[in-house]
Amino acid sequence: MTFVTLGVSVLLLLILIGRFKINAFLALLLVSLFAGVFSGMTPLVTLQSMLKGVGDTMGSVALVIIFGAILGKMIEESGAALSISNALVERLGEKRMQIAVVITGFLVGLPMMYNASFLVLIPLIYTMSATRNIPLMWIGIPLSSALSVTHGFLPPHPAPMAVAAMYKANPNLALLYGLIPAVPATILAGPVLARFFRHMRNTPPPNLYTPKEFSREELPGVAVSVLTTLVPVLMMLSGALVSLFRLEGGAAGILRFGSEPTIALLTAALVSFYTLGLRRGRNMESIMQGVNSAVASVAMIVLIIACGGAFKQVLLDAGASEGIKALTAKFHVSLIVTAWCVAALVRIAVGSATVAAITAGGVVAPLLAGSGVSPELAVLATSAGSLMFSHVNDIGFWMFKEYYNVSVRQTFAVWTVMETIVAVVGLAGALALNVFIRG
C-alpha cells in the first residue's frame, strides 16, 4: 500500500463523517473495505482481514468497556460521586474548592466516560456556584479538565484501551505512565486556566438538566464510595508494578491476573453491586435494570472501536507500514510526534476523540516494530493527540457551551484552549518519558 492510498483512505473517512454525516462505525467499515481493495487485495481477502481485526480488537476491549459502563452506572445511581465531592468540599474548605473539584473529577472520571461523569457532576457545580457565590467557570473548568484528562489519557477508557490493543501495549503500564502527565495537564488546563476567566459571570441555563436528588441519609459512605471507585485502578496499578519490577512467584501471578483490565473491572462491578447496591437496600432486579441501561449506552462505542480494529488490520495486511516508514524516515519525525500529529489532525477534522485515536492507531501500529519506542508511550501520545483543538464538530464542545451557558466565542476561548493544553502537555509528557523508557 502506498502512502497515497493511505492518504486517500483517511481523506475518504473524513469526508464520509464530516461531509455526509455517516455514522463513524459505518464510515470506518466502508473505508476499510475501500483501503483493502484499492491497495490490490481481493474483496474476500479484505473482508477476512477486516473480520480478523474486529475479532482481535473486541477480544481485548469489549468486556472492558461494558464492565466500565456498569461500574459508572452504579456510581451514578447510588450517589457515590456526590458523596465523594461533598466530603472533599467539607474537608478542604471554600478556599480550596478548585482542588476539591479536581480530585472529585479525577476520582469519578477514572472509571466513567466523559459524558456520563460530566452529567453526574454538573449539578454539583451548579449548586456549589449558587450557594457559595463562586463564579461558575472558577470550578467548572477544573472539573472539565480532570474529566477530559482521565477520559483521554488513561486506560481502561475506550480509546486508550483500543489503541493499547492495536499497539500490543501493556494497559497497566499505559495507565501508570499516563498518570504522570495527567497531573500537570489537569492543573494547567484546570485551575491555572480558570484564573483567566474568574470574572466571567455566566449562570446555569434554566431547566436544562434536572439532577436526581439525594438526601444525606441516602448517600453511601465516603470511604466505601472512594474504595469502590478506585478498585479497578488499584488492581491495574498493582499489575503495572509487578511488570515494572519484573516480580515473580505465586503472589505476583495473582496480582498480574487481577490487574488484567477485564478482571479488574469485572471485580469492581461485582463489588459495586454489593457496596453501592444491595448494601444500600436495592434489590438485584433494580441493579440489573441499571446494568441493561449501561450496556445499551456503550453499544455504539463498541461498534466504532470494532470497525477501527478492522481498519487497522487492513492497513497492516495491505503493507501500509512501508509507505509510512519511508515518509517518516525522510523527514526524521519521531514516532511519538507522528502518532500525536495523526490523531490531532483526525480530531480536528472529525471531532470525535475516540475515532481520532483509533484511526491514528491503525496508521501508527505498523511503525512500532523496531522503532525503539515504548508501545505504552505511543498509546499516551496517540490519546493526547486525539484531544487536540476540540471545536464545533465535537459533542463535548456543545455540551460545554450549553451546560455552562456561554457563547460560541467563549467556548472557543475556554473549552478549545483547555483541550489544546491537555493535548500539548500529554505530548510533552510522552516525549520526556521517552528519554528514560524505551520499547
Coordinates of all heavy atoms in Angstrom, one line a residue, residues 18-77:
G18 N -17.5 13.8 8.1 CA -17.7 15.3 8.2 C -18.7 15.8 7.2 O -19.6 16.6 7.5
R19 N -18.6 15.4 5.9 CA -19.5 16.0 4.9 C -20.8 15.3 4.8 O -21.9 16.0 4.7 CB -18.7 15.9 3.5 CG -19.6 16.4 2.3 CD -19.8 17.9 2.4 NE -20.6 18.4 1.3 CZ -21.9 18.4 1.2 NH1 -22.6 17.9 2.3 NH2 -22.6 18.8 0.2
F20 N -20.8 14.0 4.8 CA -22.1 13.2 4.6 C -22.7 12.8 5.9 O -23.8 12.1 5.9 CB -21.8 12.0 3.7 CG -21.4 12.4 2.3 CD1 -20.1 12.3 1.8 CD2 -22.4 12.9 1.4 CE1 -19.8 12.7 0.5 CE2 -22.1 13.3 0.1 CZ -20.7 13.2 -0.3
K21 N -22.1 13.0 7.0 CA -22.6 12.8 8.3 C -22.9 11.3 8.5 O -23.9 10.9 9.3 CB -23.9 13.6 8.6 CG -23.8 15.1 8.3 CD -22.7 15.7 9.2 CE -22.5 17.2 8.9 NZ -21.4 17.8 9.6
I22 N -22.2 10.4 7.9 CA -22.3 9.0 8.1 C -21.8 8.6 9.5 O -20.7 9.1 9.9 CB -21.7 8.2 7.0 CG1 -22.4 8.5 5.7 CG2 -21.6 6.7 7.3 CD1 -21.8 7.8 4.5
N23 N -22.5 7.7 10.2 CA -22.0 7.3 11.5 C -20.6 6.7 11.4 O -20.2 6.1 10.4 CB -22.9 6.2 12.0 CG -22.7 5.9 13.5 OD1 -21.7 5.2 13.8 ND2 -23.5 6.4 14.3
A24 N -19.8 7.0 12.4 CA -18.4 6.7 12.4 C -18.1 5.2 12.2 O -17.2 4.8 11.5 CB -17.7 7.2 13.7
F25 N -18.9 4.3 12.8 CA -18.6 2.9 12.6 C -18.9 2.4 11.2 O -18.1 1.6 10.7 CB -19.4 2.1 13.7 CG -20.7 1.5 13.2 CD1 -20.8 0.2 12.6 CD2 -21.9 2.2 13.4 CE1 -22.0 -0.3 12.2 CE2 -23.1 1.7 13.0 CZ -23.1 0.4 12.4
L26 N -19.9 3.0 10.6 CA -20.2 2.6 9.2 C -19.1 3.2 8.2 O -18.6 2.6 7.3 CB -21.6 3.2 8.7 CG -22.8 2.3 9.2 CD1 -24.0 3.1 8.8 CD2 -22.8 1.0 8.5
A27 N -18.7 4.4 8.6 CA -17.6 5.1 7.8 C -16.3 4.3 7.8 O -15.7 4.0 6.8 CB -17.4 6.5 8.2
L28 N -16.0 3.9 9.0 CA -14.8 3.1 9.2 C -14.8 1.7 8.5 O -13.9 1.3 7.9 CB -14.5 2.8 10.7 CG -13.9 4.0 11.5 CD1 -14.0 3.8 13.0 CD2 -12.4 4.1 11.1
L29 N -16.0 1.1 8.5 CA -16.2 -0.1 7.8 C -16.1 0.0 6.3 O -15.4 -0.8 5.6 CB -17.6 -0.7 8.1 CG -17.9 -2.1 7.9 CD1 -17.0 -3.0 8.8 CD2 -19.4 -2.4 8.1
L30 N -16.7 1.1 5.7 CA -16.6 1.3 4.3 C -15.2 1.7 3.9 O -14.7 1.2 2.8 CB -17.6 2.4 3.9 CG -19.1 2.1 4.1 CD1 -19.9 3.4 3.8 CD2 -19.5 1.0 3.1
V31 N -14.5 2.5 4.7 CA -13.1 2.9 4.3 C -12.2 1.7 4.4 O -11.2 1.5 3.6 CB -12.7 4.0 5.3 CG1 -11.2 4.2 5.1 CG2 -13.4 5.3 4.9
S32 N -12.4 0.8 5.4 CA -11.6 -0.4 5.5 C -11.7 -1.3 4.2 O -10.7 -1.7 3.7 CB -12.0 -1.3 6.7 OG -11.9 -0.5 7.9
L33 N -12.9 -1.4 3.7 CA -13.1 -2.2 2.5 C -12.5 -1.5 1.3 O -11.8 -2.1 0.5 CB -14.7 -2.4 2.3 CG -15.1 -3.3 1.1 CD1 -14.6 -4.7 1.4 CD2 -16.6 -3.3 1.0
F34 N -12.6 -0.2 1.2 CA -12.0 0.6 0.2 C -10.5 0.5 0.2 O -9.9 0.2 -0.8 CB -12.4 2.0 0.3 CG -11.6 3.0 -0.6 CD1 -11.9 3.1 -1.9 CD2 -10.5 3.7 0.0 CE1 -11.1 4.0 -2.7 CE2 -9.8 4.5 -0.8 CZ -10.0 4.6 -2.2
A35 N -9.9 0.6 1.4 CA -8.5 0.6 1.5 C -7.9 -0.7 1.1 O -6.8 -0.8 0.4 CB -8.1 0.9 3.0
G36 N -8.5 -1.8 1.4 CA -8.0 -3.1 1.1 C -8.1 -3.4 -0.4 O -7.1 -3.8 -1.1
V37 N -9.3 -3.1 -1.0 CA -9.4 -3.3 -2.5 C -8.6 -2.4 -3.3 O -7.9 -2.8 -4.3 CB -10.9 -3.2 -2.8 CG1 -11.1 -3.3 -4.4 CG2 -11.8 -4.2 -2.1
F38 N -8.5 -1.1 -2.9 CA -7.7 -0.1 -3.6 C -6.2 -0.4 -3.6 O -5.5 0.0 -4.5 CB -8.0 1.3 -3.1 CG -7.6 2.4 -3.9 CD1 -8.2 2.6 -5.1 CD2 -6.5 3.2 -3.6 CE1 -7.8 3.7 -6.0 CE2 -6.1 4.3 -4.4 CZ -6.8 4.5 -5.6
S39 N -5.8 -1.1 -2.5 CA -4.4 -1.4 -2.4 C -4.0 -2.7 -3.1 O -2.8 -3.1 -3.1 CB -4.0 -1.6 -0.9 OG -4.6 -2.7 -0.3
G40 N -5.0 -3.4 -3.7 CA -4.7 -4.6 -4.5 C -5.2 -5.9 -3.9 O -5.0 -7.0 -4.5
M41 N -5.7 -5.9 -2.7 CA -6.3 -7.1 -2.1 C -7.6 -7.4 -2.7 O -8.3 -6.5 -3.1 CB -6.4 -6.9 -0.6 CG -5.1 -6.6 0.2 SD -5.4 -6.0 1.9 CE -6.3 -7.3 2.7
T42 N -7.9 -8.7 -2.8 CA -9.2 -9.1 -3.3 C -10.3 -8.7 -2.3 O -10.0 -8.6 -1.1 CB -9.3 -10.6 -3.6 OG1 -9.2 -11.3 -2.4 CG2 -8.2 -11.0 -4.6
P43 N -11.6 -8.6 -2.7 CA -12.6 -8.3 -1.8 C -12.7 -9.3 -0.7 O -13.0 -8.9 0.5 CB -13.9 -8.2 -2.6 CG -13.4 -7.8 -4.0 CD -12.0 -8.5 -4.1
L44 N -12.6 -10.6 -1.0 CA -12.7 -11.6 0.0 C -11.6 -11.6 1.0 O -11.8 -11.7 2.2 CB -12.7 -13.0 -0.7 CG -12.9 -14.2 0.3 CD1 -14.2 -14.0 1.1 CD2 -12.9 -15.5 -0.5
V45 N -10.4 -11.4 0.5 CA -9.2 -11.3 1.4 C -9.4 -10.0 2.3 O -9.0 -10.0 3.5 CB -7.9 -11.2 0.6 CG1 -6.7 -10.8 1.5 CG2 -7.6 -12.5 -0.1
T46 N -9.9 -8.9 1.7 CA -10.1 -7.7 2.5 C -11.1 -8.0 3.6 O -10.9 -7.5 4.8 CB -10.6 -6.6 1.6 OG1 -9.6 -6.3 0.6 CG2 -10.8 -5.3 2.4
L47 N -12.2 -8.7 3.3 CA -13.2 -9.0 4.3 C -12.6 -9.8 5.4 O -12.9 -9.6 6.6 CB -14.4 -9.7 3.6 CG -15.5 -10.1 4.6 CD1 -16.1 -8.9 5.3 CD2 -16.6 -10.9 3.8
Q48 N -11.8 -10.8 5.1 CA -11.2 -11.7 6.1 C -10.3 -10.9 7.0 O -10.2 -11.1 8.2 CB -10.4 -12.8 5.4 CG -11.3 -13.8 4.7 CD -10.6 -14.8 3.8 OE1 -9.4 -14.6 3.5 NE2 -11.2 -15.9 3.5
S49 N -9.6 -10.0 6.4 CA -8.7 -9.1 7.2 C -9.5 -8.2 8.1 O -9.2 -8.1 9.3 CB -7.9 -8.2 6.2 OG -7.1 -7.3 7.0
M50 N -10.6 -7.7 7.6 CA -11.5 -6.9 8.5 C -12.1 -7.7 9.6 O -12.1 -7.2 10.8 CB -12.6 -6.3 7.6 CG -12.2 -5.2 6.6 SD -13.4 -4.9 5.4 CE -14.7 -4.2 6.4
L51 N -12.5 -8.9 9.4 CA -13.1 -9.7 10.4 C -12.0 -10.1 11.5 O -12.3 -10.1 12.7 CB -13.7 -11.0 9.8 CG -14.9 -10.8 8.9 CD1 -15.4 -12.1 8.3 CD2 -16.1 -10.1 9.7
K52 N -10.8 -10.3 11.0 CA -9.7 -10.6 12.0 C -9.5 -9.4 12.9 O -9.3 -9.5 14.1 CB -8.5 -11.0 11.2 CG -7.3 -11.3 12.2 CD -6.1 -11.7 11.4 CE -4.9 -12.2 12.3 NZ -4.6 -11.2 13.4
G53 N -9.5 -8.2 12.3 CA -9.3 -7.0 13.0 C -10.4 -6.8 14.1 O -10.1 -6.4 15.2
V54 N -11.6 -7.0 13.7 CA -12.7 -6.9 14.6 C -12.6 -7.8 15.7 O -12.7 -7.5 16.9 CB -14.1 -7.1 13.9 CG1 -15.2 -7.2 14.9 CG2 -14.4 -6.0 12.9
G55 N -12.3 -9.1 15.4 CA -12.2 -10.1 16.5 C -11.1 -9.8 17.4 O -11.2 -9.9 18.7
D56 N -9.9 -9.5 16.9 CA -8.7 -9.2 17.8 C -9.0 -8.0 18.7 O -8.7 -8.0 19.9 CB -7.5 -8.9 16.9 CG -7.0 -10.2 16.2 OD1 -7.5 -11.3 16.5 OD2 -6.1 -10.0 15.3
T57 N -9.6 -7.0 18.1 CA -9.9 -5.8 18.9 C -10.9 -6.0 20.0 O -10.8 -5.6 21.1 CB -10.3 -4.6 18.0 OG1 -9.3 -4.4 17.0 CG2 -10.5 -3.3 18.8
M58 N -12.0 -6.6 19.6 CA -13.1 -6.9 20.5 C -12.7 -7.8 21.6 O -13.1 -7.7 22.8 CB -14.3 -7.4 19.8 CG -15.1 -6.4 19.0 SD -15.8 -5.0 20.0 CE -14.5 -3.8 19.9
G59 N -11.9 -8.8 21.3 CA -11.4 -9.7 22.3 C -10.6 -9.0 23.4 O -10.5 -9.4 24.6
S60 N -10.0 -7.8 23.1 CA -9.2 -7.1 24.0 C -10.0 -6.0 24.8 O -9.7 -5.8 26.0 CB -8.1 -6.4 23.3 OG -7.3 -7.3 22.6
V61 N -11.0 -5.4 24.2 CA -11.6 -4.2 24.8 C -13.1 -4.3 25.1 O -13.6 -3.5 25.8 CB -11.3 -3.0 24.0 CG1 -9.8 -2.8 23.8 CG2 -12.0 -3.0 22.6
A62 N -13.9 -5.2 24.4 CA -15.3 -5.2 24.5 C -15.8 -5.3 26.0 O -16.6 -4.5 26.4 CB -15.9 -6.3 23.7
L63 N -15.3 -6.3 26.7 CA -15.8 -6.5 28.1 C -15.3 -5.4 29.0 O -16.0 -5.1 29.9 CB -15.3 -7.9 28.6 CG -16.0 -9.1 27.9 CD1 -15.4 -10.4 28.4 CD2 -17.5 -9.1 28.1
V64 N -14.1 -4.9 28.7 CA -13.6 -3.8 29.5 C -14.5 -2.6 29.4 O -14.9 -2.0 30.4 CB -12.2 -3.4 29.0 CG1 -11.7 -2.1 29.7 CG2 -11.2 -4.5 29.3
I65 N -15.0 -2.2 28.2 CA -15.9 -1.1 28.0 C -17.2 -1.4 28.7 O -17.8 -0.5 29.4 CB -16.1 -0.8 26.5 CG1 -14.8 -0.4 25.9 CG2 -17.2 0.2 26.3 CD1 -14.8 -0.3 24.4
I66 N -17.7 -2.6 28.6 CA -19.0 -2.9 29.2 C -19.0 -2.9 30.7 O -19.8 -2.3 31.4 CB -19.5 -4.3 28.7 CG1 -19.9 -4.2 27.2 CG2 -20.7 -4.8 29.5 CD1 -20.1 -5.5 26.5
F67 N -18.0 -3.5 31.3 CA -17.8 -3.5 32.7 C -17.6 -2.1 33.3 O -18.1 -1.8 34.4 CB -16.7 -4.5 33.2 CG -17.0 -5.9 32.9 CD1 -16.0 -6.8 32.5 CD2 -18.3 -6.4 33.1 CE1 -16.3 -8.2 32.3 CE2 -18.6 -7.8 32.8 CZ -17.6 -8.6 32.4
G68 N -16.8 -1.3 32.5 CA -16.6 0.1 33.0 C -17.9 0.9 33.0 O -18.1 1.7 33.9
A69 N -18.7 0.6 32.0 CA -20.0 1.3 31.9 C -20.9 0.9 33.1 O -21.6 1.7 33.6 CB -20.7 1.1 30.6
I70 N -20.9 -0.4 33.4 CA -21.7 -0.9 34.5 C -21.2 -0.2 35.8 O -22.1 0.2 36.6 CB -21.6 -2.4 34.6 CG1 -22.3 -3.0 33.4 CG2 -22.2 -2.9 35.9 CD1 -22.1 -4.5 33.3
L71 N -19.9 -0.2 36.1 CA -19.4 0.4 37.3 C -19.8 1.9 37.3 O -20.2 2.4 38.4 CB -17.9 0.3 37.3 CG -17.2 1.0 38.5 CD1 -17.7 0.5 39.8 CD2 -15.7 0.9 38.4
G72 N -19.7 2.6 36.2 CA -20.1 4.0 36.1 C -21.6 4.2 36.4 O -21.9 5.2 37.1
K73 N -22.4 3.3 36.0 CA -23.8 3.4 36.2 C -24.1 3.2 37.7 O -25.0 3.9 38.3 CB -24.6 2.4 35.4 CG -26.1 2.4 35.6 CD -26.8 3.7 35.3 CE -26.8 3.9 33.8 NZ -27.6 5.1 33.5
M74 N -23.4 2.3 38.4 CA -23.6 2.1 39.8 C -23.2 3.3 40.6 O -23.8 3.7 41.6 CB -22.8 0.9 40.3 CG -23.3 -0.5 39.7 SD -25.0 -0.8 40.2 CE -24.8 -0.9 42.0
I75 N -22.1 3.9 40.2 CA -21.6 5.2 40.9 C -22.6 6.3 40.7 O -22.9 7.0 41.6 CB -20.2 5.6 40.3 CG1 -19.1 4.5 40.7 CG2 -19.8 7.0 40.8 CD1 -17.8 4.7 40.0
E76 N -23.2 6.4 39.5 CA -24.1 7.4 39.2 C -25.4 7.2 40.0 O -25.9 8.2 40.7 CB -24.5 7.4 37.7 CG -25.6 8.4 37.3 CD -26.0 8.1 35.9 OE1 -25.3 7.5 35.1 OE2 -27.1 8.6 35.5
E77 N -26.0 6.0 39.9 CA -27.3 5.8 40.5 C -27.3 5.8 42.1 O -28.3 6.1 42.7 CB -27.9 4.5 40.0 CG -28.3 4.5 38.5 CD -28.9 3.3 38.1 OE1 -28.8 2.2 38.8 OE2 -29.5 3.3 37.0

